[in-house]
Every structure is written in structure tokens, then in C-alpha cells.
Amino acid sequence: MLRNALTLTAAVAALLSPVLSSDPARADDYPSRPIEVIATFGAGGGADLMARQFARLAEPHLHVAMPVVNVSGASGNAGLTRVLTNPADGYTVGTLIALSVSSWASGLGTAKPDNFVYVAMMQNSPSMLYVSKNSPFKTYEDFAAHAKANPGKLRVATSGYGTQDDITLKYLGSQGVPVTNVPFARPSERYASPIGGHTDAIYEEPGDVAQFLKSGDLRPIVVFDKQRHPSFPDVPASAELGLDIGDLPNFRTLAVPASTPPERVQKLHEAAAKVLASPEWKAFCADTFTCVDTLVTSDQAKEEVKAFYETVKGYLDRFATKTVGQTPG
């Protein structure tokens, strides 16, 4: 009878073993199934392209499929809500970009930097002000002089109110360069607006308008940074022009909920490090002007995100704004 009881116990344990090992809190074979990558903006935008490139290059390192799902809306907060409400088991990763952090500071959504662990800082670049190839403004000084002489007459295409775009234009206004913010919800319309003469300039990061830069349809007249962009050495930095507005970078991170097991975050981080070091990624980020200089840890990325959040809050305290807008990320 004892032998039969022991045999039965062993059989039950064998049957339960797969169930127990599938418990996310107990499994040590992570990842053992597909990892969903949430692109928090629509198809074709910068966040979407980053997510798809990362997933494609990370799959061989993590040895599982990494399907990308677009969950757009509310400046990326719709997708981030899905990231936070899914189980914190490392099987849902989302894109978390500067615009979304800016939206939190503007009062949109309920998320905060501490709600997430940042797997990696994948991309980063400053924004620029661009005019069309037929624009009468050859330099930023030309643009600023006309704006001063004609307050509010120059129109600048942006991604919306409460964004880095809006903050920068309000800052320029405080420096005696008053221009009008013209938001566009659709990226294609925004990019084309100065080319078609619907606006006089566009505020954007270079990666999102790379095709127009390469074709010559758009040309930058200032980069909002402390130093010149290496890909545009002839374009002055805002700091050179006495403009203290070079602290609103366009970063893109990959994030998971803060309660995700650290060992799983580490596996994702190691995969991201391999992706960032790959020739394919380096070619991709160079083509979009978004390469990060060095790999940062999850903690360092979090500190950068928190610092950006506080910077945006500081600007918004200085400049009243309307409801935050949206962009394709």
C-alpha cells in the first residue's frame, strides 16, 4: 500500500510539474513563448519602425517570436496602458518615447516614469527647424527677423500642443520670435505642409523627415541642441544663437512594468545590447540620425526619463499651453 501511495504521489507530481514550471513567477527558462512588442504609435512612425527593427534583430538572441502590435492613441498612452495592465512577466514590451513622457507632464494619462523599468535607450536625437527648398529664409536669422517684423504670421507645423514642439515655439516667442503653432495629427500631412506652402516651417526630428532631407525638399536652419549635429555640420546649434532650449531630446526606449522580475529585464537588456551593437542596427539608426552614443543601464535610462519629465514640467510652468497633441512617434 505504501509503495502504491508513493507511486501515486510521484505521478501527481509529474503531472503538476509542467503546470508549476509555466508559472511566470517560477519559470527559469524565460522566454519560453512569444514576446509581444507594443508599438505605442501608428504604423510607419518612428516608434513603429524602431519596434519592428528591434523585434526582428532580437528574435535570434531570445529564440522566440516577437510579434509587433500597434496600439496607438493618446500620445502613446493607450499602448502604455496595455503594457501596464498585461501581466508583468516580461512577455509584453512597449515603446516609450519622449512625447509620451511630455504628455504626462502636460496632464494626459496617469502614468509616471516610476511605473516602468527601462529595458534600453534605443534611439535619441535633437529636433530641428526646417524650411522648404524654395523658402526665402536661408538661415535661422532670416526666419527670426521676419517673425519679429511680422508677429504671428509665420506658421510652423508641429505634432500638437503640450509637446516639445509647442514648448520650443513658446520659448522662441519669449525670445522675441513669435510664430504660430499649426498642429497636424497625421504625419504625412505635417511633413508635406512646408513643401506645399501650407506652413512656413516644420519642427521635427531628422529621422522622421529623412526622405525629404535626402531629396532636398526640406533643409534644416537650426538644431535645438548644445552642439551641432554631426550629420549636419553646417547647421548652427541653438546654443550658438543664444537660445537656451537644447534640453528636449527625442528619445525612444523599450519599457516593461516596474514589477517585472529583474532577471527577465536583464535578459531583455542583454538582447537589446546585442541589437544595438549589430551592424544592421547601426545602419538603421545612422539612416534615421538616431544613434545613441553609449549603452546605458536600465537605472541610467530611468534617470534620463525622470530628468526629462521634470524639465518638461518646468517649461510648462513657464508657458501656458492647450491640451497635449499627438504624433506618430
PDB file of all heavy atoms in Angstrom, residues 144-184:
ATOM      1  N   ALA A 144      14.021  84.409 -38.049  1.00  0.00           N
ATOM      2  CA  ALA A 144      13.736  85.145 -36.821  1.00  0.00           C
ATOM      3  C   ALA A 144      13.456  86.619 -37.108  1.00  0.00           C
ATOM      4  O   ALA A 144      12.541  87.212 -36.505  1.00  0.00           O
ATOM      5  CB  ALA A 144      14.903  85.013 -35.849  1.00  0.00           C
ATOM      6  N   ALA A 145      14.203  87.205 -38.022  1.00  0.00           N
ATOM      7  CA  ALA A 145      13.998  88.621 -38.349  1.00  0.00           C
ATOM      8  C   ALA A 145      12.600  88.849 -38.935  1.00  0.00           C
ATOM      9  O   ALA A 145      11.921  89.823 -38.596  1.00  0.00           O
ATOM     10  CB  ALA A 145      15.073  89.092 -39.324  1.00  0.00           C
ATOM     11  N   HIS A 146      12.165  87.946 -39.800  1.00  0.00           N
ATOM     12  CA  HIS A 146      10.836  88.078 -40.401  1.00  0.00           C
ATOM     13  C   HIS A 146       9.750  87.884 -39.342  1.00  0.00           C
ATOM     14  O   HIS A 146       8.728  88.594 -39.360  1.00  0.00           O
ATOM     15  CB  HIS A 146      10.663  87.052 -41.523  1.00  0.00           C
ATOM     16  CG  HIS A 146       9.426  87.263 -42.330  1.00  0.00           C
ATOM     17  ND1 HIS A 146       9.385  88.085 -43.434  1.00  0.00           N
ATOM     18  CD2 HIS A 146       8.164  86.773 -42.183  1.00  0.00           C
ATOM     19  CE1 HIS A 146       8.156  88.085 -43.945  1.00  0.00           C
ATOM     20  NE2 HIS A 146       7.401  87.292 -43.202  1.00  0.00           N
ATOM     21  N   ALA A 147       9.963  86.929 -38.427  1.00  0.00           N
ATOM     22  CA  ALA A 147       8.981  86.688 -37.368  1.00  0.00           C
ATOM     23  C   ALA A 147       8.853  87.908 -36.461  1.00  0.00           C
ATOM     24  O   ALA A 147       7.743  88.268 -36.038  1.00  0.00           O
ATOM     25  CB  ALA A 147       9.373  85.461 -36.557  1.00  0.00           C
ATOM     26  N   LYS A 148       9.957  88.548 -36.161  1.00  0.00           N
ATOM     27  CA  LYS A 148       9.929  89.732 -35.301  1.00  0.00           C
ATOM     28  C   LYS A 148       9.201  90.888 -35.986  1.00  0.00           C
ATOM     29  O   LYS A 148       8.451  91.637 -35.348  1.00  0.00           O
ATOM     30  CB  LYS A 148      11.351  90.153 -34.950  1.00  0.00           C
ATOM     31  CG  LYS A 148      12.065  89.191 -34.007  1.00  0.00           C
ATOM     32  CD  LYS A 148      13.502  89.617 -33.758  1.00  0.00           C
ATOM     33  CE  LYS A 148      14.214  88.622 -32.837  1.00  0.00           C
ATOM     34  NZ  LYS A 148      15.634  89.003 -32.589  1.00  0.00           N
ATOM     35  N   ALA A 149       9.400  91.000 -37.289  1.00  0.00           N
ATOM     36  CA  ALA A 149       8.763  92.091 -38.037  1.00  0.00           C
ATOM     37  C   ALA A 149       7.296  91.812 -38.333  1.00  0.00           C
ATOM     38  O   ALA A 149       6.525  92.745 -38.609  1.00  0.00           O
ATOM     39  CB  ALA A 149       9.525  92.334 -39.335  1.00  0.00           C
ATOM     40  N   ASN A 150       6.923  90.532 -38.274  1.00  0.00           N
ATOM     41  CA  ASN A 150       5.552  90.121 -38.602  1.00  0.00           C
ATOM     42  C   ASN A 150       5.051  89.135 -37.542  1.00  0.00           C
ATOM     43  O   ASN A 150       4.927  87.935 -37.805  1.00  0.00           O
ATOM     44  CB  ASN A 150       5.504  89.475 -39.986  1.00  0.00           C
ATOM     45  CG  ASN A 150       6.029  90.377 -41.082  1.00  0.00           C
ATOM     46  OD1 ASN A 150       5.291  91.181 -41.635  1.00  0.00           O
ATOM     47  ND2 ASN A 150       7.324  90.248 -41.393  1.00  0.00           N
ATOM     48  N   PRO A 151       4.752  89.616 -36.330  1.00  0.00           N
ATOM     49  CA  PRO A 151       4.394  88.728 -35.217  1.00  0.00           C
ATOM     50  C   PRO A 151       3.224  87.801 -35.543  1.00  0.00           C
ATOM     51  O   PRO A 151       2.166  88.248 -35.980  1.00  0.00           O
ATOM     52  CB  PRO A 151       4.015  89.706 -34.104  1.00  0.00           C
ATOM     53  CG  PRO A 151       4.717  90.975 -34.453  1.00  0.00           C
ATOM     54  CD  PRO A 151       4.737  91.033 -35.949  1.00  0.00           C
ATOM     55  N   GLY A 152       3.461  86.503 -35.350  1.00  0.00           N
ATOM     56  CA  GLY A 152       2.414  85.513 -35.535  1.00  0.00           C
ATOM     57  C   GLY A 152       2.113  85.142 -36.970  1.00  0.00           C
ATOM     58  O   GLY A 152       1.261  84.278 -37.218  1.00  0.00           O
ATOM     59  N   LYS A 153       2.779  85.767 -37.926  1.00  0.00           N
ATOM     60  CA  LYS A 153       2.486  85.496 -39.331  1.00  0.00           C
ATOM     61  C   LYS A 153       3.143  84.205 -39.830  1.00  0.00           C
ATOM     62  O   LYS A 153       2.590  83.519 -40.693  1.00  0.00           O
ATOM     63  CB  LYS A 153       2.953  86.662 -40.198  1.00  0.00           C
ATOM     64  CG  LYS A 153       2.220  87.969 -39.927  1.00  0.00           C
ATOM     65  CD  LYS A 153       0.741  87.867 -40.259  1.00  0.00           C
ATOM     66  CE  LYS A 153       0.033  89.200 -40.063  1.00  0.00           C
ATOM     67  NZ  LYS A 153      -1.407  89.129 -40.349  1.00  0.00           N
ATOM     68  N   LEU A 154       4.314  83.863 -39.300  1.00  0.00           N
ATOM     69  CA  LEU A 154       4.981  82.636 -39.728  1.00  0.00           C
ATOM     70  C   LEU A 154       4.336  81.436 -39.041  1.00  0.00           C
ATOM     71  O   LEU A 154       4.130  81.423 -37.819  1.00  0.00           O
ATOM     72  CB  LEU A 154       6.473  82.690 -39.409  1.00  0.00           C
ATOM     73  CG  LEU A 154       7.288  83.680 -40.247  1.00  0.00           C
ATOM     74  CD1 LEU A 154       8.761  83.589 -39.885  1.00  0.00           C
ATOM     75  CD2 LEU A 154       7.094  83.443 -41.730  1.00  0.00           C
ATOM     76  N   ARG A 155       4.023  80.413 -39.822  1.00  0.00           N
ATOM     77  CA  ARG A 155       3.334  79.228 -39.327  1.00  0.00           C
ATOM     78  C   ARG A 155       4.303  78.052 -39.293  1.00  0.00           C
ATOM     79  O   ARG A 155       4.984  77.775 -40.279  1.00  0.00           O
ATOM     80  CB  ARG A 155       2.149  78.910 -40.235  1.00  0.00           C
ATOM     81  CG  ARG A 155       1.106  80.033 -40.339  1.00  0.00           C
ATOM     82  CD  ARG A 155       0.332  79.947 -41.631  1.00  0.00           C
ATOM     83  NE  ARG A 155       1.235  80.073 -42.785  1.00  0.00           N
ATOM     84  CZ  ARG A 155       0.878  79.801 -44.031  1.00  0.00           C
ATOM     85  NH1 ARG A 155      -0.329  79.363 -44.304  1.00  0.00           N
ATOM     86  NH2 ARG A 155       1.753  79.951 -45.025  1.00  0.00           N
ATOM     87  N   VAL A 156       4.321  77.351 -38.179  1.00  0.00           N
ATOM     88  CA  VAL A 156       5.224  76.209 -38.010  1.00  0.00           C
ATOM     89  C   VAL A 156       4.401  74.948 -37.772  1.00  0.00           C
ATOM     90  O   VAL A 156       3.582  74.894 -36.845  1.00  0.00           O
ATOM     91  CB  VAL A 156       6.202  76.432 -36.846  1.00  0.00           C
ATOM     92  CG1 VAL A 156       7.121  75.223 -36.684  1.00  0.00           C
ATOM     93  CG2 VAL A 156       7.024  77.698 -37.072  1.00  0.00           C
ATOM     94  N   ALA A 157       4.619  73.941 -38.596  1.00  0.00           N
ATOM     95  CA  ALA A 157       3.921  72.663 -38.444  1.00  0.00           C
ATOM     96  C   ALA A 157       4.496  71.908 -37.250  1.00  0.00           C
ATOM     97  O   ALA A 157       5.713  71.770 -37.114  1.00  0.00           O
ATOM     98  CB  ALA A 157       4.067  71.834 -39.717  1.00  0.00           C
ATOM     99  N   THR A 158       3.612  71.410 -36.396  1.00  0.00           N
ATOM    100  CA  THR A 158       4.035  70.665 -35.207  1.00  0.00           C
ATOM    101  C   THR A 158       3.163  69.433 -35.025  1.00  0.00           C
ATOM    102  O   THR A 158       2.178  69.228 -35.739  1.00  0.00           O
ATOM    103  CB  THR A 158       3.934  71.526 -33.934  1.00  0.00           C
ATOM    104  OG1 THR A 158       2.554  71.635 -33.547  1.00  0.00           O
ATOM    105  CG2 THR A 158       4.530  72.903 -34.133  1.00  0.00           C
ATOM    106  N   SER A 159       3.508  68.644 -34.016  1.00  0.00           N
ATOM    107  CA  SER A 159       2.735  67.447 -33.689  1.00  0.00           C
ATOM    108  C   SER A 159       1.620  67.727 -32.705  1.00  0.00           C
ATOM    109  O   SER A 159       0.832  66.838 -32.398  1.00  0.00           O
ATOM    110  CB  SER A 159       3.662  66.368 -33.123  1.00  0.00           C
ATOM    111  OG  SER A 159       4.313  66.845 -31.965  1.00  0.00           O
ATOM    112  N   GLY A 160       1.541  68.944 -32.168  1.00  0.00           N
ATOM    113  CA  GLY A 160       0.432  69.251 -31.274  1.00  0.00           C
ATOM    114  C   GLY A 160       0.812  70.186 -30.146  1.00  0.00           C
ATOM    115  O   GLY A 160       1.939  70.683 -30.066  1.00  0.00           O
ATOM    116  N   TYR A 161      -0.162  70.442 -29.282  1.00  0.00           N
ATOM    117  CA  TYR A 161       0.049  71.306 -28.122  1.00  0.00           C
ATOM    118  C   TYR A 161       0.563  70.487 -26.945  1.00  0.00           C
ATOM    119  O   TYR A 161       0.255  69.319 -26.794  1.00  0.00           O
ATOM    120  CB  TYR A 161      -1.263  71.996 -27.738  1.00  0.00           C
ATOM    121  CG  TYR A 161      -1.785  72.925 -28.808  1.00  0.00           C
ATOM    122  CD1 TYR A 161      -2.930  72.606 -29.536  1.00  0.00           C
ATOM    123  CD2 TYR A 161      -1.118  74.112 -29.106  1.00  0.00           C
ATOM    124  CE1 TYR A 161      -3.414  73.450 -30.526  1.00  0.00           C
ATOM    125  CE2 TYR A 161      -1.597  74.967 -30.092  1.00  0.00           C
ATOM    126  CZ  TYR A 161      -2.743  74.630 -30.800  1.00  0.00           C
ATOM    127  OH  TYR A 161      -3.199  75.457 -31.787  1.00  0.00           O
ATOM    128  N   GLY A 162       1.355  71.144 -26.104  1.00  0.00           N
ATOM    129  CA  GLY A 162       1.888  70.475 -24.928  1.00  0.00           C
ATOM    130  C   GLY A 162       3.064  69.566 -25.209  1.00  0.00           C
ATOM    131  O   GLY A 162       3.530  68.863 -24.331  1.00  0.00           O
ATOM    132  N   THR A 163       3.544  69.557 -26.450  1.00  0.00           N
ATOM    133  CA  THR A 163       4.667  68.717 -26.854  1.00  0.00           C
ATOM    134  C   THR A 163       5.960  69.522 -26.809  1.00  0.00           C
ATOM    135  O   THR A 163       5.958  70.730 -26.567  1.00  0.00           O
ATOM    136  CB  THR A 163       4.452  68.200 -28.285  1.00  0.00           C
ATOM    137  OG1 THR A 163       4.366  69.335 -29.163  1.00  0.00           O
ATOM    138  CG2 THR A 163       3.160  67.396 -28.383  1.00  0.00           C
ATOM    139  N   GLN A 164       7.077  68.849 -27.090  1.00  0.00           N
ATOM    140  CA  GLN A 164       8.339  69.567 -27.203  1.00  0.00           C
ATOM    141  C   GLN A 164       8.241  70.657 -28.268  1.00  0.00           C
ATOM    142  O   GLN A 164       8.828  71.739 -28.125  1.00  0.00           O
ATOM    143  CB  GLN A 164       9.475  68.607 -27.557  1.00  0.00           C
ATOM    144  CG  GLN A 164       9.744  67.538 -26.528  1.00  0.00           C
ATOM    145  CD  GLN A 164       9.121  66.219 -26.907  1.00  0.00           C
ATOM    146  OE1 GLN A 164       7.905  66.121 -27.067  1.00  0.00           O
ATOM    147  NE2 GLN A 164       9.932  65.192 -27.073  1.00  0.00           N
ATOM    148  N   ASP A 165       7.503  70.365 -29.352  1.00  0.00           N
ATOM    149  CA  ASP A 165       7.304  71.326 -30.425  1.00  0.00           C
ATOM    150  C   ASP A 165       6.697  72.613 -29.870  1.00  0.00           C
ATOM    151  O   ASP A 165       7.192  73.730 -30.093  1.00  0.00           O
ATOM    152  CB  ASP A 165       6.339  70.780 -31.480  1.00  0.00           C
ATOM    153  CG  ASP A 165       6.577  69.340 -31.876  1.00  0.00           C
ATOM    154  OD1 ASP A 165       7.052  68.562 -31.036  1.00  0.00           O
ATOM    155  OD2 ASP A 165       6.271  68.981 -33.014  1.00  0.00           O
ATOM    156  N   ASP A 166       5.585  72.453 -29.159  1.00  0.00           N
ATOM    157  CA  ASP A 166       4.842  73.579 -28.612  1.00  0.00           C
ATOM    158  C   ASP A 166       5.695  74.366 -27.627  1.00  0.00           C
ATOM    159  O   ASP A 166       5.720  75.608 -27.645  1.00  0.00           O
ATOM    160  CB  ASP A 166       3.580  73.041 -27.927  1.00  0.00           C
ATOM    161  CG  ASP A 166       2.617  74.128 -27.502  1.00  0.00           C
ATOM    162  OD1 ASP A 166       2.554  75.169 -28.183  1.00  0.00           O
ATOM    163  OD2 ASP A 166       1.902  73.935 -26.505  1.00  0.00           O
ATOM    164  N   ILE A 167       6.393  73.644 -26.761  1.00  0.00           N
ATOM    165  CA  ILE A 167       7.241  74.309 -25.770  1.00  0.00           C
ATOM    166  C   ILE A 167       8.321  75.137 -26.460  1.00  0.00           C
ATOM    167  O   ILE A 167       8.589  76.288 -26.083  1.00  0.00           O
ATOM    168  CB  ILE A 167       7.884  73.262 -24.833  1.00  0.00           C
ATOM    169  CG1 ILE A 167       6.824  72.640 -23.936  1.00  0.00           C
ATOM    170  CG2 ILE A 167       9.002  73.890 -23.993  1.00  0.00           C
ATOM    171  CD1 ILE A 167       7.309  71.446 -23.148  1.00  0.00           C
ATOM    172  N   THR A 168       8.942  74.569 -27.481  1.00  0.00           N
ATOM    173  CA  THR A 168      10.016  75.281 -28.172  1.00  0.00           C
ATOM    174  C   THR A 168       9.505  76.542 -28.859  1.00  0.00           C
ATOM    175  O   THR A 168      10.148  77.598 -28.805  1.00  0.00           O
ATOM    176  CB  THR A 168      10.702  74.361 -29.198  1.00  0.00           C
ATOM    177  OG1 THR A 168      11.228  73.217 -28.520  1.00  0.00           O
ATOM    178  CG2 THR A 168      11.841  75.079 -29.904  1.00  0.00           C
ATOM    179  N   LEU A 169       8.344  76.446 -29.491  1.00  0.00           N
ATOM    180  CA  LEU A 169       7.789  77.630 -30.159  1.00  0.00           C
ATOM    181  C   LEU A 169       7.418  78.704 -29.141  1.00  0.00           C
ATOM    182  O   LEU A 169       7.606  79.907 -29.403  1.00  0.00           O
ATOM    183  CB  LEU A 169       6.576  77.244 -30.998  1.00  0.00           C
ATOM    184  CG  LEU A 169       6.822  76.289 -32.166  1.00  0.00           C
ATOM    185  CD1 LEU A 169       5.586  76.210 -33.051  1.00  0.00           C
ATOM    186  CD2 LEU A 169       8.041  76.694 -32.991  1.00  0.00           C
ATOM    187  N   LYS A 170       6.902  78.294 -27.996  1.00  0.00           N
ATOM    188  CA  LYS A 170       6.590  79.269 -26.959  1.00  0.00           C
ATOM    189  C   LYS A 170       7.874  79.910 -26.422  1.00  0.00           C
ATOM    190  O   LYS A 170       7.895  81.106 -26.094  1.00  0.00           O
ATOM    191  CB  LYS A 170       5.795  78.607 -25.832  1.00  0.00           C
ATOM    192  CG  LYS A 170       4.327  78.377 -26.197  1.00  0.00           C
ATOM    193  CD  LYS A 170       3.565  77.792 -25.030  1.00  0.00           C
ATOM    194  CE  LYS A 170       2.058  77.890 -25.256  1.00  0.00           C
ATOM    195  NZ  LYS A 170       1.610  77.214 -26.466  1.00  0.00           N
ATOM    196  N   TYR A 171       8.919  79.112 -26.312  1.00  0.00           N
ATOM    197  CA  TYR A 171      10.193  79.669 -25.887  1.00  0.00           C
ATOM    198  C   TYR A 171      10.693  80.699 -26.899  1.00  0.00           C
ATOM    199  O   TYR A 171      11.137  81.785 -26.513  1.00  0.00           O
ATOM    200  CB  TYR A 171      11.236  78.564 -25.710  1.00  0.00           C
ATOM    201  CG  TYR A 171      12.624  79.113 -25.464  1.00  0.00           C
ATOM    202  CD1 TYR A 171      13.013  79.532 -24.196  1.00  0.00           C
ATOM    203  CD2 TYR A 171      13.530  79.257 -26.517  1.00  0.00           C
ATOM    204  CE1 TYR A 171      14.270  80.075 -23.974  1.00  0.00           C
ATOM    205  CE2 TYR A 171      14.786  79.797 -26.304  1.00  0.00           C
ATOM    206  CZ  TYR A 171      15.159  80.209 -25.035  1.00  0.00           C
ATOM    207  OH  TYR A 171      16.393  80.753 -24.824  1.00  0.00           O
ATOM    208  N   LEU A 172      10.598  80.374 -28.190  1.00  0.00           N
ATOM    209  CA  LEU A 172      11.031  81.329 -29.208  1.00  0.00           C
ATOM    210  C   LEU A 172      10.233  82.621 -29.104  1.00  0.00           C
ATOM    211  O   LEU A 172      10.776  83.723 -29.255  1.00  0.00           O
ATOM    212  CB  LEU A 172      10.876  80.716 -30.605  1.00  0.00           C
ATOM    213  CG  LEU A 172      11.782  79.523 -30.936  1.00  0.00           C
ATOM    214  CD1 LEU A 172      11.533  79.047 -32.373  1.00  0.00           C
ATOM    215  CD2 LEU A 172      13.254  79.868 -30.740  1.00  0.00           C
ATOM    216  N   GLY A 173       8.930  82.481 -28.812  1.00  0.00           N
ATOM    217  CA  GLY A 173       8.111  83.674 -28.639  1.00  0.00           C
ATOM    218  C   GLY A 173       8.581  84.526 -27.480  1.00  0.00           C
ATOM    219  O   GLY A 173       8.580  85.763 -27.552  1.00  0.00           O
ATOM    220  N   SER A 174       9.040  83.861 -26.412  1.00  0.00           N
ATOM    221  CA  SER A 174       9.538  84.605 -25.256  1.00  0.00           C
ATOM    222  C   SER A 174      10.855  85.304 -25.552  1.00  0.00           C
ATOM    223  O   SER A 174      11.248  86.224 -24.827  1.00  0.00           O
ATOM    224  CB  SER A 174       9.713  83.658 -24.064  1.00  0.00           C
ATOM    225  OG  SER A 174      10.859  82.813 -24.234  1.00  0.00           O
ATOM    226  N   GLN A 175      11.503  84.874 -26.624  1.00  0.00           N
ATOM    227  CA  GLN A 175      12.768  85.480 -27.033  1.00  0.00           C
ATOM    228  C   GLN A 175      12.567  86.486 -28.174  1.00  0.00           C
ATOM    229  O   GLN A 175      13.532  86.887 -28.827  1.00  0.00           O
ATOM    230  CB  GLN A 175      13.753  84.394 -27.468  1.00  0.00           C
ATOM    231  CG  GLN A 175      14.063  83.365 -26.393  1.00  0.00           C
ATOM    232  CD  GLN A 175      14.649  83.991 -25.147  1.00  0.00           C
ATOM    233  OE1 GLN A 175      15.698  84.640 -25.204  1.00  0.00           O
ATOM    234  NE2 GLN A 175      13.979  83.825 -24.007  1.00  0.00           N
ATOM    235  N   GLY A 176      11.328  86.872 -28.398  1.00  0.00           N
ATOM    236  CA  GLY A 176      11.042  87.876 -29.411  1.00  0.00           C
ATOM    237  C   GLY A 176      10.862  87.339 -30.809  1.00  0.00           C
ATOM    238  O   GLY A 176      10.949  88.094 -31.787  1.00  0.00           O
ATOM    239  N   VAL A 177      10.626  86.018 -30.934  1.00  0.00           N
ATOM    240  CA  VAL A 177      10.404  85.399 -32.242  1.00  0.00           C
ATOM    241  C   VAL A 177       9.022  84.749 -32.218  1.00  0.00           C
ATOM    242  O   VAL A 177       8.886  83.524 -32.087  1.00  0.00           O
ATOM    243  CB  VAL A 177      11.500  84.362 -32.574  1.00  0.00           C
ATOM    244  CG1 VAL A 177      11.308  83.803 -33.983  1.00  0.00           C
ATOM    245  CG2 VAL A 177      12.888  84.970 -32.436  1.00  0.00           C
ATOM    246  N   PRO A 178       7.946  85.539 -32.328  1.00  0.00           N
ATOM    247  CA  PRO A 178       6.588  84.996 -32.227  1.00  0.00           C
ATOM    248  C   PRO A 178       6.129  84.325 -33.520  1.00  0.00           C
ATOM    249  O   PRO A 178       6.094  84.936 -34.577  1.00  0.00           O
ATOM    250  CB  PRO A 178       5.737  86.238 -31.935  1.00  0.00           C
ATOM    251  CG  PRO A 178       6.491  87.361 -32.578  1.00  0.00           C
ATOM    252  CD  PRO A 178       7.955  87.006 -32.480  1.00  0.00           C
ATOM    253  N   VAL A 179       5.806  83.043 -33.420  1.00  0.00           N
ATOM    254  CA  VAL A 179       5.314  82.279 -34.568  1.00  0.00           C
ATOM    255  C   VAL A 179       4.030  81.564 -34.151  1.00  0.00           C
ATOM    256  O   VAL A 179       3.712  81.476 -32.969  1.00  0.00           O
ATOM    257  CB  VAL A 179       6.361  81.263 -35.074  1.00  0.00           C
ATOM    258  CG1 VAL A 179       7.602  81.964 -35.585  1.00  0.00           C
ATOM    259  CG2 VAL A 179       6.719  80.264 -33.974  1.00  0.00           C
ATOM    260  N   THR A 180       3.315  81.033 -35.126  1.00  0.00           N
ATOM    261  CA  THR A 180       2.050  80.345 -34.861  1.00  0.00           C
ATOM    262  C   THR A 180       2.210  78.843 -34.967  1.00  0.00           C
ATOM    263  O   THR A 180       2.744  78.336 -35.962  1.00  0.00           O
ATOM    264  CB  THR A 180       0.969  80.821 -35.849  1.00  0.00           C
ATOM    265  OG1 THR A 180       0.739  82.223 -35.646  1.00  0.00           O
ATOM    266  CG2 THR A 180      -0.339  80.071 -35.632  1.00  0.00           C
ATOM    267  N   ASN A 181       1.752  78.127 -33.949  1.00  0.00           N
ATOM    268  CA  ASN A 181       1.784  76.674 -33.918  1.00  0.00           C
ATOM    269  C   ASN A 181       0.625  76.137 -34.756  1.00  0.00           C
ATOM    270  O   ASN A 181      -0.534  76.454 -34.502  1.00  0.00           O
ATOM    271  CB  ASN A 181       1.661  76.187 -32.467  1.00  0.00           C
ATOM    272  CG  ASN A 181       1.743  74.684 -32.317  1.00  0.00           C
ATOM    273  OD1 ASN A 181       1.626  73.938 -33.291  1.00  0.00           O
ATOM    274  ND2 ASN A 181       1.943  74.227 -31.096  1.00  0.00           N
ATOM    275  N   VAL A 182       0.945  75.303 -35.755  1.00  0.00           N
ATOM    276  CA  VAL A 182      -0.083  74.686 -36.594  1.00  0.00           C
ATOM    277  C   VAL A 182       0.025  73.171 -36.423  1.00  0.00           C
ATOM    278  O   VAL A 182       0.852  72.519 -37.068  1.00  0.00           O
ATOM    279  CB  VAL A 182       0.084  75.077 -38.076  1.00  0.00           C
ATOM    280  CG1 VAL A 182      -1.033  74.451 -38.915  1.00  0.00           C
ATOM    281  CG2 VAL A 182       0.090  76.590 -38.236  1.00  0.00           C
ATOM    282  N   PRO A 183      -0.804  72.574 -35.544  1.00  0.00           N
ATOM    283  CA  PRO A 183      -0.708  71.128 -35.288  1.00  0.00           C
ATOM    284  C   PRO A 183      -1.275  70.302 -36.436  1.00  0.00           C
ATOM    285  O   PRO A 183      -2.268  70.667 -37.048  1.00  0.00           O
ATOM    286  CB  PRO A 183      -1.543  70.937 -34.020  1.00  0.00           C
ATOM    287  CG  PRO A 183      -1.790  72.305 -33.480  1.00  0.00           C
ATOM    288  CD  PRO A 183      -1.771  73.219 -34.658  1.00  0.00           C
ATOM    289  N   PHE A 184      -0.643  69.151 -36.671  1.00  0.00           N
ATOM    290  CA  PHE A 184      -1.119  68.170 -37.642  1.00  0.00           C
ATOM    291  C   PHE A 184      -1.162  66.809 -36.959  1.00  0.00           C
ATOM    292  O   PHE A 184      -0.161  66.360 -36.417  1.00  0.00           O
ATOM    293  CB  PHE A 184      -0.195  68.085 -38.860  1.00  0.00           C
ATOM    294  CG  PHE A 184      -0.284  69.258 -39.796  1.00  0.00           C
ATOM    295  CD1 PHE A 184       0.450  70.408 -39.549  1.00  0.00           C
ATOM    296  CD2 PHE A 184      -1.088  69.209 -40.924  1.00  0.00           C
ATOM    297  CE1 PHE A 184       0.378  71.488 -40.414  1.00  0.00           C
ATOM    298  CE2 PHE A 184      -1.167  70.290 -41.790  1.00  0.00           C
ATOM    299  CZ  PHE A 184      -0.437  71.431 -41.534  1.00  0.00           C
TER     300      PHE A 184
END
